[in-house]
């Protein structure tokens, strides 16, 4: 009996995936747990292991193609098993069964209907009136997978929206800003996207699934979260001296070598414990205060930036944090990150110091309420406690906060705690 390898759900927000490549050939034997393909999700490109044992008889999905959740990717047969005569028919049925029902078929709840009737309505843009002239007519709307998912959950009719994404694509922000239940009297106009003029020698590169999701989430972050920004200069001299001493000892014993970022992560964790109001998130009509620190660490890969999480970071020593970051970076590089590696983040650290960036303001990683931005360590003239100008080492640390959750004074106390720890690094070993 043929078995179907199906598109798995590799992240909590995933509605479809892209088959990046096959790592086995038709006719190859496969075993349970053997990597057979690379699949690109909205978070990362991950290896996919076969859930079955047998022979990969036939590819169904082709590399580069988007496949809905549960749709067949390939056919597995047992060794020496002949393919049934109606295999193509079985494949067609499996593909049809995986096609999700249109979002418009879902009826909004009573409370949603009430909210829709009470919500504000935007005037229909003149250039789009003709497109909405025939009420109830089926319109073909381009929408991202995440936008479709949220629309289905909220009862928003995608046909009622005009997208602000590339080519009029409906993105998450369009759905979240729409009245619940959609608008029946015409399409709600969003700000038209400003498109570049492409010349004959210019190259237009299709974006990956992950890059599209990154674009949507950052757009939602900047348009829906009231950001504020703080910067603080830190004396990095004591940190660099302490790290050099620690690594010199480690070199003699074959122990762990620490990076500057290891100390920064530890300082963020300890500062979040000292100022727990920073370790929170906005949840509509409430603020969620997290009991544990889930430290999201920004790691650059070819397709963009991923933010795997060090869970219960407050319970980890400096050594355990250093080892966790090395493990996550290795998994990111080798496409081994799992959905669980992305779950549970409560605050993010983005370090661009290695790229020579002195200071920057980072975009908040929703639904978190804060992100810490780390710049490079630079030699600079400073005035010491004797009034003398000497060469010192300075580093800028920034914080971007969600003003719905975090007040400026709270963020300032958090940064002050970080400075105290980084300028007295031995405290982080206590």
């Amino acid at each position: 009996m043929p078995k179907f390898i199906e598109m798995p759900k590799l992240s909590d927000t995933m509605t479809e995936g892209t088959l990046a490549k096959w790592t086995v050939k038709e006719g190859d034997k496969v075993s349970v747990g053997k990597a057979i393909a690379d699949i690109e999700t909205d978070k990362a490109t991950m290896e996919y292991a076969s859930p079955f044992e047998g022979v990969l008889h036939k590819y169904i999905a082709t590399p580069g193609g988007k496949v809905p959740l549960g749709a067949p990717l390939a056919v597995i047969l047992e060794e020496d098993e002949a393919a049934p005569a109606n295999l193509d028919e079985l494949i067609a049925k499996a593909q049809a069964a995986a096609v999700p029902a249109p979002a418009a078929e879902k009826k909004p709840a009573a409370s949603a209907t009430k909210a829709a009737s009470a919500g504000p309505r935007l005037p229909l843009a003149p250039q789009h009136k003709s497109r909405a002239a025939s009420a109830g007519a089926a319109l073909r709307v381009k929408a991202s997978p995440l936008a479709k998912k949220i629309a289905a959950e909220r009862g928003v009719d995608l046909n009622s929206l005009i997208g602000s994404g590339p080519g009029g694509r409906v993105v998450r922000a369009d759905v979240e800003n729409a009245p619940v239940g959609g608008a029946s009297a015409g399409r709600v106009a969003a700000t038209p996207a400003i498109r570049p003029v492409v010349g004959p020698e210019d190259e237009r590169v299709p974006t990956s699934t992950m890059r599209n999701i990154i674009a949507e989430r950052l757009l939602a972050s900047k348009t829906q979260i009231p950001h504020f920004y703080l910067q603080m200069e830190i004396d990095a001299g004591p940190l660099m001296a302490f790290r050099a001493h620690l690594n010199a000892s480690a070199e003699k014993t074959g122990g762990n070598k620490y990076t500057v970022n290891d100390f920064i992560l530890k300082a963020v964790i300890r500062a979040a414990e000292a100022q727990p109001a920073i370790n929170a998130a906005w949840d509509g009509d409430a603020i969620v205060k997290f009991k544990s620190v889930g430290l999201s660490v920004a790691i650059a890969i070819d397709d963009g930036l991923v933010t795997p999480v060090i869970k219960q970071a407050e319970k980890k020593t400096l050594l355990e944090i250093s080892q966790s970051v090395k493990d996550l970076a290795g998994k990111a590089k080798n496409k081994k990150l799992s959905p669980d590696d992305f779950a549970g983040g409560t605050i993010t650290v983005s370090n661009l110091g290695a790229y020579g960036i002195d200071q920057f303001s980072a975009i908040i990683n929703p639904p978190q309420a804060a992100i810490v931005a780390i710049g490079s360590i630079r030699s600079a003239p400073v005035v010491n406690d004797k009034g003398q100008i000497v060469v010192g080492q300075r580093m800028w640390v920034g914080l971007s906060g969600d003003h719905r959750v975090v007040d400026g004074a709270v963020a300032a106390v958090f940064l002050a705690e970080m400075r105290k720890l980084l300028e007295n690094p031995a405290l982080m070993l206590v």
Side-chain angles (χ1 to χ4, degrees):
M1 182 71 180
K3 299 182 180 71
F4 291 118
I5 299 286
E6 297 177 346
M7 176 59 72
K9 187 177 180 65
L10 296 176
S11 81
D12 52 351
T13 56
M14 180 178 171
T15 59
E16 66 180 11
T18 299
L19 177 66
K21 69 176 181 179
W22 289 107
T23 55
V24 295
K25 299 176 182 177
E26 291 182 341
D28 284 355
K29 293 181 181 179
V30 297
S31 56
V32 175
K34 176 182 174 64
I36 60 172
D38 286 350
I39 293 177
E40 182 185 310
T41 74
D42 57 346
K43 295 185 183 293
T45 299
M46 305 179 188
E47 285 187 343
Y48 178 45
S50 174
F52 305 121
E53 183 173 346
V55 175
L56 194 148
H57 172 70
K58 181 179 181 178
Y59 299 147
I60 298 174
T62 56
K66 295 185 184 297
V67 183
L69 289 184
L73 298 172
V75 178
I76 298 285
L77 298 178
E78 294 183 6
E79 286 193 59
D80 302 324
E81 179 185 3
N86 65 337
L87 179 59
D88 289 342
E89 182 181 341
L90 295 175
I91 292 172
K93 287 182 179 179
Q95 288 175 320
V99 176
E105 292 180 7
K106 294 196 174 186
K107 294 182 179 180
S111 59
T113 304
K114 182 178 179 181
S117 61
R121 296 291 296 278
L122 298 178
L124 186 63
Q127 63 268 35
H128 297 296
K129 285 183 178 179
S130 60
R131 296 170 65 181
S134 52
L139 296 174
R140 187 174 182 179
V141 179
K142 290 194 298 182
S144 71
L146 186 57
K148 291 176 183 177
K149 179 176 182 290
I150 296 174
E153 292 172 350
R154 298 190 176 193
V156 174
D157 183 3
L158 290 173
N159 289 328
S160 68
L161 306 179
I162 293 173
S164 60
R169 181 184 174 96
V170 176
V171 297
R172 174 180 179 171
D174 301 326
V175 179
E176 291 183 337
N177 291 331
V180 177
S184 59
R187 308 189 77 192
V188 177
T191 303
I194 301 174
R195 307 296 299 277
V197 177
V198 182
E201 296 182 359
D202 299 325
E203 181 183 8
R204 193 171 187 275
V205 181
T207 52
S208 65
T209 300
M210 188 174 77
R211 174 52 64 182
N212 283 333
I213 297 298
I214 289 173
E216 288 181 23
R217 288 181 178 164
L218 293 183
L219 175 63
S221 178
K222 286 294 287 183
T223 55
Q224 298 174 27
I225 296 176
H227 286 57
F228 71 94
Y229 309 96
L230 300 182
Q231 301 277 346
M232 182 175 284
E233 189 179 39
I234 290 175
D235 179 4
L239 171 61
M240 297 303 286
F242 187 76
R243 172 179 172 262
H245 174 74
L246 211 58
N247 282 345
S249 299
E251 191 173 351
K252 294 177 183 178
T253 60
N256 181 74
K257 294 195 96 174
Y258 295 93
T259 66
V260 171
N261 202 49
D262 294 336
F263 290 93
I264 290 168
L265 297 179
K266 183 64 174 176
V268 170
I269 296 162
R270 292 284 293 271
E273 286 186 284
Q275 187 61 283
I278 210 85
N279 193 47
W282 181 257
D283 191 27
D285 57 353
I287 292 174
V288 176
K289 295 184 176 180
F290 298 108
K291 183 178 181 181
S292 182
V293 178
L295 190 65
S296 298
V297 183
I299 298 174
I301 60 174
D302 290 342
D303 282 341
L305 205 66
V306 293
T307 52
V309 178
I310 300 175
K311 296 178 176 61
Q312 295 187 316
E314 75 281 359
K315 297 182 179 180
K316 297 187 183 295
T317 64
L318 181 65
L319 174 61
E320 290 171 330
I321 290 167
S322 180
Q323 292 172 335
S324 295
V325 173
K326 289 180 176 70
D327 178 59
L328 290 172
K331 290 168 74 174
K333 180 180 178 180
N334 296 310
K335 303 175 182 177
K336 298 285 187 181
L337 290 171
S338 69
D340 185 62
D341 289 323
F342 293 98
T346 62
I347 186 169
T348 297
V349 177
S350 180
N351 189 340
L352 293 180
Y355 298 92
I357 301 301
D358 291 337
Q359 56 182 299
F360 66 102
S361 298
I363 300 176
I364 294 170
N365 182 19
Q368 299 170 19
I371 182 170
V372 179
I374 306 296
S376 62
I377 295 175
R378 298 278 189 181
S379 295
V382 297
V383 179
N384 64 16
D385 54 3
K386 297 178 181 179
Q388 301 169 324
I389 298 176
V390 297
V391 177
Q393 291 181 296
R394 289 294 188 266
M395 175 177 69
W396 282 95
V397 174
L399 182 137
S400 304
D402 181 346
H403 225 321
R404 298 172 302 180
V405 180
V406 181
D407 293 328
V410 169
V413 172
F414 170 85
L415 287 178
E417 183 68 18
M418 271 194 71
R419 179 164 62 184
K420 182 185 79 172
L421 292 165
L422 291 172
E423 293 182 351
N424 301 274
L427 293 175
M428 290 185 276
L429 301 184
V430 178

